[in-house]
Amino acid sequence: MIGVLDRLARPFLRALDPEDAHGLAIKMLKFAPLPEAAPDDPRLASRVFGLNFPNPIGMAAGFDKNAEVPDALLRLGFGFVEVGTITPEPQPGNPRPRLFRLDADHGVINRLGFNSQGADAALRRLAARASAGGIVGINVGANKNSADRVADYVRLIERFAAVASYVTVNISSPNTPGLRNLQQAAVLDDLLARVVDARERVSPRSGPTPVLLKIAPDLALGDLDDVVGIARARRVDGMIVGNTTVTRPPTLHETETAKEAGGLSGRPLYRLGNRMLAETYVRVEDAFPLVGAGGIDSGATALGKIRAGASLIQLYSSLVFRGIGLIGEIKQTLLAALARDGHSNLKDYIGADAAAVTAEAWPD
Ligand SMILES: Cc1cc2nc3c(=O)[nH]c(=O)nc-3n(C[C@H](O)[C@H](O)[C@H](O)COP(=O)(O)O)c2cc1C
């Protein structure tokens, strides 16, 4: 039934303004009577930062910013869902239009700018489904006009630790001016010290909620050295590599749309995202696991992400072009690879190509 709905709805959604289509997709997920997802093959399961994932495929942040449909997304077959980015106070984000499809490139540019209903609304929804099971993490960010951005993150960790499976500290959106400055060494060290401390403070009541750090794929390698060093020293539980890119590969076909300001995602991000993931993997030295995101649009690119260093993967943009059948297709490809290579789970693939990827020419 999901497949039929998807096939019927997608051409219609693609004909709409991208943001209207997104709003409608959320509404459909809210009201469609989706059946429980079929149980996953146990060979796809893994334990990562203390959580048991039924499969490694996650819905990336930004689709369900306000935690409206996490359970519907789990029913589509995702192994986990990351809601958010949520900001402490509601804010409208940037003026429309602010979301663009690059059809010929299977890419997306967004400059939404953390449009958010705010923490209270998301907290209410997550609290209402807290006993429903399934892994639902929350991605948190600072308000645009916040006087103390670090305090925003601390407060959000304190509030969401009890109702989220994990919390992602998002300092990598290109659409909130100055946000990515939080990736600078001295600022990041202070931020991570305070968010990890906040997590410890609330853990007697909330449990040991993992804290992940989501970075931009646009960091210079020298800065990545610092970021990984600080993340290790401050003992974060994992990193997500990464967010959208402000770069524009010269290979893009949709050259006019490519001039829009914002973060590029989807297929054109795959090579850069994989390179940064591999560069991160070799620096982390197994201190914590990585989540790979950026341009996954097939079983092969999903496996490529795992081989570049990802214990888990996330996707968003390709759903626009490929639909939700992609989730099942990725699972089938991963299972076929396991059967072919005689492995009983995905562990042996994680990082298998990381060194080789870092030796390639820098992606355009
Ligand atoms: C429309 C849109 C909105 C997004 N919003 C967020 C967000 O709020 N927070 C965040 O951390 N990442 C956000 N992202 C980035 C995605 O989570 C993901 O890191 C990135 O798109 C790369 O994956 P993809 O190529 O599979 O889309 C957004 C991406 C898109 C396309």
Side-chain angles (χ1 to χ4, degrees):
M1 184 186 88
I2 293 173
V4 173
L5 261 180
D6 187 40
R7 268 196 301 280
L8 290 176
R10 223 152 13 97
F12 171 64
L13 291 174
R14 287 273 296 276
L16 296 178
D17 162 81
E19 196 164 341
D20 290 341
H22 174 259
L24 206 56
I26 295 276
K27 277 213 179 71
M28 286 165 62
L29 286 170
K30 236 184 213 171
F31 297 113
L34 297 172
E36 202 71 53
D40 282 312
D41 189 302
R43 290 171 297 169
L44 296 177
S46 60
R47 190 168 169 81
V48 186
F49 32 79
L51 303 173
N52 292 318
F53 291 80
N55 75 67
I57 310 163
M59 177 78 238
F63 179 80
D64 187 9
K65 282 185 187 269
N66 296 298
E68 293 175 276
V69 291
D71 294 295
L73 291 167
L74 291 171
R75 283 171 182 249
L76 296 182
F78 282 110
F80 65 112
V81 173
E82 185 165 317
V83 300
T85 295
I86 204 81
T87 56
E89 301 301 325
Q91 63 177 31
N94 290 321
R96 288 174 71 164
R98 53 189 182 175
L99 181 56
F100 308 88
R101 277 190 305 255
L102 283 68
D103 284 315
D105 300 298
H106 281 207
V108 172
I109 289 175
N110 93 80
R111 54 168 179 268
L112 294 168
F114 287 171
N115 50 320
S116 175
Q117 292 175 7
D120 287 348
L123 196 63
R124 218 171 26 245
R125 291 183 188 123
L126 290 182
R129 58 117 7 240
S131 58
I135 297 181
V136 178
I138 187 152
N139 178 305
V140 298
N143 276 116
K144 183 178 174 189
N145 295 327
S146 167
D148 183 350
R149 286 185 169 168
V150 174
D152 280 10
Y153 289 93
V154 168
R155 180 101 188 87
L156 289 167
I157 300 240
E158 288 170 349
R159 296 195 70 193
F160 280 97
V163 295
S165 306
Y166 67 87
V167 181
T168 299
V169 174
N170 178 15
I171 49 171
S172 47
S173 166
N175 301 315
T176 295
L179 191 85
R180 287 181 302 168
N181 295 342
L182 294 171
Q183 293 176 130
Q184 287 166 7
V187 190
L188 182 65
D189 191 52
D190 176 53
L191 171 68
L192 292 186
R194 288 173 59 189
V195 299
V196 170
D197 183 56
R199 187 268 307 275
E200 298 306 322
R201 226 174 19 250
V202 297
S203 69
R205 143 173 87 72
S206 305
T209 315
V211 171
L212 313 188
L213 179 69
K214 183 167 179 178
I215 63 168
D218 302 327
L219 284 172
L221 292 182
D223 294 333
L224 184 64
D225 291 340
D226 291 344
V227 168
V228 170
I230 294 163
R232 290 178 64 167
R234 292 297 174 190
R235 307 180 85 85
V236 304
D237 298 280
M239 280 171 60
I240 303 181
V241 189
N243 218 311
T244 58
T245 178
V246 295
T247 64
R248 299 288 183 265
T251 45
L252 289 175
H253 296 95
E254 304 261 12
T255 48
E256 274 310 302
T257 316
K259 290 180 188 152
E260 294 290 348
L264 172 68
S265 56
R267 190 178 282 172
L269 173 59
Y270 183 73
R271 287 197 64 222
L272 175 64
N274 245 29
R275 177 60 176 263
M276 287 305 282
L277 174 65
E279 296 283 357
T280 306
Y281 182 83
V282 298
R283 286 164 172 77
V284 168
E285 298 175 312
D286 282 332
F288 46 69
L290 302 177
V291 182
I296 295 170
D297 65 354
S298 64
T301 49
L303 185 56
K305 217 38 125 187
I306 295 170
R307 297 188 66 103
S311 294
L312 301 165
I313 57 177
Q314 290 180 325
L315 52 85
Y316 179 170
S317 302
S318 58
L319 292 179
V320 175
F321 303 101
R322 298 289 325 279
I324 51 186
L326 177 61
I327 305 165
E329 183 189 314
I330 291 174
K331 291 179 186 176
Q332 288 314 313
T333 305
L334 295 179
L335 288 168
L338 289 172
R340 183 193 63 220
D341 298 333
H343 296 321
S344 56
N345 59 54
L346 295 166
K347 266 210 182 76
D348 288 319
Y349 294 125
I350 299 169
D353 293 345
V357 171
T358 61
E360 290 170 2
W362 194 263
D364 278 335

